[in-house]
């Protein structure tokens, strides 16, 4: 469980004992998590190149449609905190699919983000 208060973010490991104490099952918890995820954090999806440039302190212009010559992107949240949890969020993955114009490959990177590879790029550049 992740909580946010003012500028601080924290998390609590939920185990079967807590579920029992709260009187809910895993399915109910999962439904509530999916419902509440976007209330705490906003999904962010951008090119890997922009992420690297940002880490280096180089400003990167915002673009309307996500593009990257390398076909690699980052999916996280506005806090970059447990952003990989979007693997369990069908609505966000659907938006990613729409941005990518179809299929994509997910590379787990860390608990805070995942790397997304454009399927078209993989077929045209890697397996050509």
């Amino acid at each position: 469980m992740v909580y946010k208060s003012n500028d601080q973010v924290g998390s609590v490991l939920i185990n079967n004992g807590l579920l029992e104490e709260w009187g809910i099952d895993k399915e109910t918890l999962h439904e509530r998590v999916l419902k509440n995820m976007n209330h705490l954090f906003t999904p962010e999806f951008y090119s890997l190149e922009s992420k690297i440039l940002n880490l280096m302190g180089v400003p990167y212009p915002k673009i309307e449609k996500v593009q990257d010559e390398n076909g690699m992107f980052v999916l996280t949240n506005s806090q970059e905190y447990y952003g990989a949890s979007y693997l369990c969020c069908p609505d966000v993955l659907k938006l990613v699919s729409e941005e990518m114009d179809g299929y994509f490959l997910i590379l787990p990177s860390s608990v805070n983000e995942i790397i997304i590879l454009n399927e078209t790029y993989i077929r045209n550049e890697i397996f050509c």
Side-chain angles (χ1 to χ4, degrees), residues 18-80:
L18 283 175
L19 291 178
E20 192 174 304
E21 187 176 321
W22 295 339
I24 62 172
D25 58 16
K26 291 177 186 177
E27 291 75 23
T28 303
L29 176 66
H30 186 252
E31 289 171 13
R32 289 181 185 175
V33 166
L34 290 178
K35 182 179 176 184
N36 292 318
M37 267 180 76
N38 293 333
H39 294 291
L40 289 175
F41 304 110
T42 305
E44 293 199 357
F45 183 64
Y46 45 81
S47 72
L48 184 59
E49 179 184 10
S50 68
K51 172 72 173 179
I52 293 168
L53 290 173
N54 187 17
L55 289 171
M56 294 171 42
V58 177
Y60 192 82
K62 289 242 177 200
I63 50 177
E64 285 191 23
K65 179 129 173 97
V66 175
Q67 298 174 9
D68 190 330
E69 291 180 12
N70 297 319
M72 298 179 77
F73 303 88
V74 175
L75 176 61
T76 187
N77 59 47
S78 54
Q79 298 287 320
E80 295 186 345

Side-chain angles (χ1 to χ4, degrees), residues 98-116:
E98 290 170 2
E99 282 290 326
M100 304 294 278
D101 294 325
Y103 297 102
F104 55 91
L105 179 68
I106 297 172
L107 297 176
S109 173
S110 73
V111 296
N112 298 317
E113 64 191 18
I114 54 178
I115 305 297
I116 306 287

